[in-house]
Amino acid sequence: RVLVLAFHGILGDSFCSVLQHYTPVRSAPAAFTARPPVSYQSAKSGSPPASSKRNIAGSGCILLRMPVRDIIVIGGSAGGFEAIQVLVSALPADLRAAIFLTLHQFPRAKGVLPDILNRAGRIPALHAEDGMPIDHGRIYVAPPDYHLVLQNGFMQLSHGPRENLFRPCINVMVRSAATAYGERVAGVLLTGLLDDGAAGLWEIQQHHGATIV
């Protein structure tokens, strides 16, 4: 339950703070625009977060809009199957984000995770495919024995060397997301083995994204 609440806290239009006793911004708009249009252009590495301050007319305070998090990467070891089902069951069907999932699996596993997630939640889940475009409202699952790599607007599958003894590897997916989408990325680590996932979350933080462990 704590994980679900934290997950919701980094998403959506509600991720705002009211700052009291702030001098109103000159020529500030009368209304707060909650969310800008979304486009899948890659972020520039190392650029500062694009949060912005908007004055509430006549209130003496402002709203602080945090960066939109519409690229969500979730990783876990074999022990994360139950946790991901609980998390997915709490997500709304109209979530304005794309979700990417890597769980440690045996190379010859049957790949039934999308079916399990489709029964658990309301967001369609499917195995990622090489060259598949990225859309909101989907859960893309790394297939057994393939790394999931995020590019600008699409996904790639890689049969490259194992990292941290696994393929798919959490760090591979998370690193690529941080590089391609910067501050738009929210990373969630359910469980892990060795440093798989933890090193990737560090990359997200270096690109000003949000992380949950």
Side-chain angles (χ1 to χ4, degrees), residues 51-97:
S51 57
S52 61
K53 298 175 181 178
R54 301 293 181 89
N55 180 54
I56 304 175
S59 67
C61 63
I62 65 165
L63 287 180
L64 177 64
R65 189 191 71 202
M66 305 303 290
V68 173
R69 315 289 186 191
D70 62 345
I71 301 292
I72 303 158
V73 288
I74 304 174
S77 62
F81 275 85
E82 182 177 354
I84 187 59
Q85 292 178 67
V86 173
L87 179 57
V88 166
S89 68
L91 298 178
D94 59 349
L95 182 69
R96 295 182 58 188

Side-chain angles (χ1 to χ4, degrees), residues 22-172:
Y22 185 86
T23 302
V25 180
R26 187 175 183 180
S27 301
F32 171 66
T33 303
R35 200 160 187 168
V38 174
S39 63
Y40 279 107
Q41 295 179 349
S42 59
K44 295 182 179 179
S45 299
S47 59
S51 57
S52 61
K53 298 175 181 178
R54 301 293 181 89
N55 180 54
I56 304 175
S59 67
C61 63
I62 65 165
L63 287 180
L64 177 64
R65 189 191 71 202
M66 305 303 290
V68 173
R69 315 289 186 191
D70 62 345
I71 301 292
I72 303 158
V73 288
I74 304 174
S77 62
F81 275 85
E82 182 177 354
I84 187 59
Q85 292 178 67
V86 173
L87 179 57
V88 166
S89 68
L91 298 178
D94 59 349
L95 182 69
R96 295 182 58 188
I99 301 174
F100 306 86
L101 174 63
T102 290
L103 289 186
H104 292 161
Q105 308 173 60
F106 292 110
R108 297 182 180 178
K110 294 182 178 180
V112 297
L113 185 54
D115 293 335
I116 294 174
L117 298 182
N118 282 325
R119 290 195 296 268
R122 291 162 286 181
I123 301 178
L126 67 161
H127 275 130
E129 298 179 5
D130 194 50
M132 179 180 286
I134 296 172
D135 292 319
H136 279 169
R138 297 288 186 272
I139 301 174
Y140 299 103
V141 180
D145 208 28
Y146 284 91
H147 297 307
L148 174 56
V149 180
L150 275 64
Q151 300 289 356
N152 183 16
F154 66 97
M155 294 162 281
Q156 288 183 325
L157 297 182
S158 168
H159 200 67
R162 289 180 174 85
E163 290 193 27
N164 292 298
L165 307 177
F166 280 95
R167 186 177 57 227
C169 170
I170 301 169
N171 281 338
V172 171

